[in-house]
Amino acid sequence: MACPCGSLKGFKDCCEPLIKEKSLPDTAEQLMRSRYAAYTVGDVDYLKNTLAPESRKDFDAESTKKWAKEAQWKKLSILSTKKGTTEDTEGIVEFCAFYEYEGQDLQLHEVAKFRKDKNGQWLFMDGDSHTHPASENVEEAHAKPETIVRNHPKIGRNDPCSCGSGKKFKKCCGA
């Protein structure tokens, strides 16, 4: 079975050893991927055990398990990572998780924060997330806006207006 995290490895060689707690994730991204895989197999214990202690107080195992089991998980796309390497103690992973829930195709877009504890274990702290209808193309949905290149010099607020009025730009065309 291919690993649900999208790594192109088999589940037994990728996220399963992490979920079964036979090994620890080396990076924040690896923890993020294994947490996604845990959702797909409904392993709520792993999800709770990889939460930072301060984040566990409002963790609802019952509703998490219900949601994880009822969702049809489709794919995970990692959009970016910031730090979170083996040498780091903190990291950020931005991702989209695609799934179907109650007949609707959805995507969860999240910027997740991770930290390493004193024993070297990566933990999920919190994330800024939103869910919306799934886009067909994750790269297109989260593409950076096109950069506009100016082909003429920039006019400053206090420069003479380019229309020739003799007024400052901010009092003329820039108003």
Side-chain angles (χ1 to χ4, degrees):
M1 169 174 132
C3 192
C5 81
S7 68
L8 304 178
K9 296 179 186 175
F11 181 59
K12 290 184 182 207
D13 298 323
C14 190
C15 289
E16 186 178 49
L18 303 172
I19 293 170
K20 301 273 185 202
E21 299 187 42
K22 293 180 179 174
S23 62
L24 294 175
D26 294 325
T27 64
E29 181 179 335
Q30 194 177 25
L31 176 60
M32 181 25 256
R33 288 180 176 278
S34 66
R35 285 178 55 84
Y36 172 83
Y39 275 105
T40 70
V41 297
D43 194 320
V44 177
D45 290 336
Y46 181 73
L47 295 169
K48 183 176 182 179
N49 293 341
T50 56
L51 277 175
E54 64 273 14
S55 300
R56 291 182 187 163
K57 62 182 176 280
D58 61 351
F59 181 75
D60 182 351
E62 196 73 23
S63 65
T64 300
K65 185 170 193 137
K66 182 181 183 301
W67 178 65
K69 289 286 189 185
E70 290 176 2
Q72 293 178 327
W73 299 96
K74 297 187 174 190
K75 75 175 183 175
L76 173 69
S77 291
I78 304 295
L79 303 176
S80 68
T81 57
K82 188 175 185 181
K83 296 190 177 186
T85 67
T86 54
E87 295 81 30
D88 294 316
T89 57
E90 293 183 348
I92 296 174
V93 180
E94 181 181 9
F95 67 93
C96 283
F98 294 83
Y99 62 100
E100 183 182 320
Y101 188 72
E102 297 179 343
Q104 187 177 12
D105 283 331
L106 299 168
Q107 90 180 41
L108 169 74
H109 180 206
E110 182 169 320
V111 178
K113 296 177 190 170
F114 299 87
R115 71 170 165 81
K116 230 188 246 186
D117 69 9
K118 63 183 176 188
N119 299 320
Q121 180 177 354
W122 281 102
L123 299 169
F124 172 72
M125 293 169 48
D126 64 16
D128 180 21
S129 65
H130 60 274
T131 301
H132 49 86
S135 168
E136 290 295 318
N137 183 339
V138 67
E139 287 77 20
E140 182 181 300
H142 296 285
K144 291 182 179 177
E146 184 180 334
T147 302
I148 298 173
V149 179
R150 188 179 292 114
N151 58 6
H152 49 80
K154 181 178 178 182
I155 300 172
R157 292 174 29 108
N158 291 318
D159 290 341
C161 191
S162 59
C163 74
S165 68
K167 296 179 182 177
K168 288 184 178 183
F169 178 73
K170 68 181 177 185
K171 296 285 186 178
C172 188
C173 294

